[in-house]
Amino acid sequence: MKSIHDCYTLNNGVQIPCVAFGTYKAAADESTKVIRLAIEAGYRYFDTASFYGTEKYLGEAIRESGIPRSEFFITSKVWKTEMGYEETKEAFARTLDNLGTDYLDQYLIHWPLPTPDYAEWKQLDVDTWKALEEFYKAGKVRSIGLSNFLPHHIENLLEHCEIAPMVDQLEYHPGYAQEAAVQYCKEHDILVQAWSPIGRGRMFGDPLFLELTEKYQVSPAKLCLRFAVQNGVIPLPKSSTAERMKENQDLFSFEISKEDMYRLRTMPQSGWSGEHPDRARVYEGIEKEIRN
Ligand SMILES: NC(=O)c1ccc[n+]([C@@H]2O[C@H](COP(=O)([O-])OP(=O)(O)OC[C@H]3O[C@@H](n4cnc5c(N)ncnc54)[C@H](OP(=O)(O)O)[C@@H]3O)[C@@H](O)[C@H]2O)c1
């Protein structure tokens, strides 16, 4: 990969750029400003979700840009409260409407379980996936996939699905590289995307980070993003400023050595968001029932 526009080929042949722009909280001021900046900065692959409330702003920003829809790669996701066969059909229609488009490049199931104690999750995932398969077969979405699915969740789906998922979007950054899940996806030809690829900066003070940012003369954010790219994982960084948006694309002029890649992959857990599909969310060591 030599630029953010270079692509991987998904298991169905669709081309997907190697770096995206994340839109969670990218329209906190209820305007298209940040997303417009991201388009101007060169991003064409955008990650959104019904839960983020940014679909509408993304659609508007794309139309305002005057750049043809076909030049963009848009991913959205069905939220926990929208799962189920009929519910997902309604959610998908709302998403297309919010974005003002008649197709998506990618549609994902956002989480495998609506709540950690949801007993019937296996059937719910299968029903939800069936709706995604129908959108795919009808040509309304170019690729379908998962988010926050761990190997045991994916196994259930693979047992029952007609079309295998093309991607899985996981929390992924040095300090929380989910090796078992990433390895499983690689073995099953499922491309991994990294959410919170910068860990929202939570690992920046780690001694290994201090050493390697000095050694490679790069910012901690670039170290994280290059780490994902070198592992063949698509990072989805979000930023609010033009400077950071540019910085987060400048990932192709340095290379992390093999040895340092192993050190980053095996560093002690750091910067974890506290989210796990099978558990209540952990806030700095305290488990709470509220999850988002
Ligand atoms: N599938 C899921 O369950 C899931 C969950 C969470 C996120 N996501 C997706 O992943 C995307 C990214 O995750 P995220 O937003 O949680 O975290 P992130 O991209 O790891 O971090 C974003 C934070 O890092 C800061 N930042 C960005 N570039 C920087 C740089 N070069 N130097 C220093 N700080 C920098 C941003 O600040 P500024 O904004 O001030 O620049 C922002 O506060 C989301 O937007 C969303 O699309 C998916």
Side-chain angles (χ1 to χ4, degrees):
M1 299 293 159
K2 298 229 165 18
S3 96
I4 66 158
H5 304 296
D6 284 349
C7 290
Y8 295 105
T9 304
L10 296 175
N11 65 22
N12 66 340
V14 163
Q15 297 279 299
I16 185 168
C18 66
V19 176
F21 184 82
T23 66
Y24 181 56
K25 296 199 172 157
D29 62 352
E30 300 193 357
S31 90
T32 58
K33 193 175 141 219
V34 168
I35 299 172
R36 262 195 354 246
L37 261 184
I39 296 173
E40 283 164 21
Y43 289 101
R44 293 293 178 270
Y45 168 11
F46 287 87
D47 181 77
T48 185
S50 61
F51 176 69
Y52 303 165
T54 50
E55 292 173 329
K56 187 178 97 180
Y57 301 101
L58 176 58
E60 267 175 47
I62 288 175
R63 282 190 295 282
E64 284 167 13
S65 75
I67 298 166
R69 162 70 181 90
S70 58
E71 291 189 21
F72 289 88
F73 192 102
I74 304 178
T75 298
S76 194
K77 315 181 191 85
V78 54
W79 184 238
K80 292 169 190 172
T81 53
E82 298 170 323
M83 294 170 76
Y85 178 68
E86 290 300 337
E87 293 85 345
T88 300
K89 289 211 273 191
E90 288 166 21
F92 186 71
R94 275 194 299 274
T95 281
L96 290 184
D97 192 45
N98 286 339
L99 283 158
T101 184
D102 55 2
Y103 76 97
L104 288 186
D105 298 281
Q106 193 160 80
Y107 197 49
L108 313 180
I109 305 180
H110 208 141
W111 286 89
L113 292 81
T115 56
D117 58 355
Y118 194 93
E120 303 301 321
W121 64 268
K122 288 188 175 179
Q123 190 56 47
L124 188 65
D125 284 357
V126 170
D127 294 345
T128 305
W129 188 253
K130 189 164 171 257
L132 267 64
E133 289 180 330
E134 286 187 12
F135 308 148
Y136 180 72
K137 285 192 262 182
K140 292 179 184 164
V141 56
R142 298 173 61 228
S143 57
I144 50 178
L146 311 169
S147 173
N148 299 299
F149 276 59
L150 300 177
H152 60 288
H153 306 122
I154 305 176
E155 289 274 290
N156 167 55
L157 215 57
L158 291 180
E159 246 173 63
H160 298 97
C161 70
E162 199 182 318
I163 301 166
M166 285 126 215
V167 303
D168 191 12
Q169 187 175 120
L170 299 167
E171 179 174 355
Y172 179 90
H173 50 76
Y176 200 70
Q178 305 215 56
E179 289 280 332
V182 171
Q183 186 58 33
Y184 177 93
C185 286
K186 285 189 175 166
E187 283 162 12
H188 290 82
D189 207 6
I190 297 170
L191 192 73
V192 176
Q193 304 171 337
W195 66 257
S196 282
I198 305 170
R200 298 191 189 165
R202 289 181 293 258
M203 317 79 67
F204 287 6
D206 185 278
L208 183 60
F209 263 67
L210 299 176
E211 179 195 325
L212 296 184
T213 51
E214 175 70 21
K215 174 175 173 183
Y216 293 99
Q217 289 292 298
V218 292
S219 66
K222 277 167 70 163
L223 186 73
C224 290
L225 298 172
R226 178 71 204 179
F227 170 77
V229 169
Q230 263 184 241
N231 274 329
V233 169
I234 297 177
L236 324 166
K238 176 260 174 186
S239 177
S240 316
T241 72
E243 292 74 23
R244 286 173 164 182
M245 289 174 189
K246 284 282 182 200
E247 178 187 337
N248 295 347
Q249 298 179 35
D250 178 22
L251 309 173
F252 306 93
S253 57
F254 73 106
E255 188 166 349
I256 304 170
S257 74
K258 198 173 167 186
E259 181 187 330
D260 291 335
M261 285 296 286
Y262 277 124
R263 293 173 77 203
L264 287 166
R265 285 169 72 179
T266 56
M267 68 184 269
Q269 181 170 303
S270 176
W272 177 42
S273 66
E275 301 234 40
H276 188 288
D278 299 333
R279 302 278 176 87
R281 184 166 184 178
V282 175
Y283 291 91
E284 293 172 12
I286 306 160
E287 286 205 9
K288 287 195 183 170
E289 286 306 314
I290 306 158
R291 304 172 81 240
N292 61 34

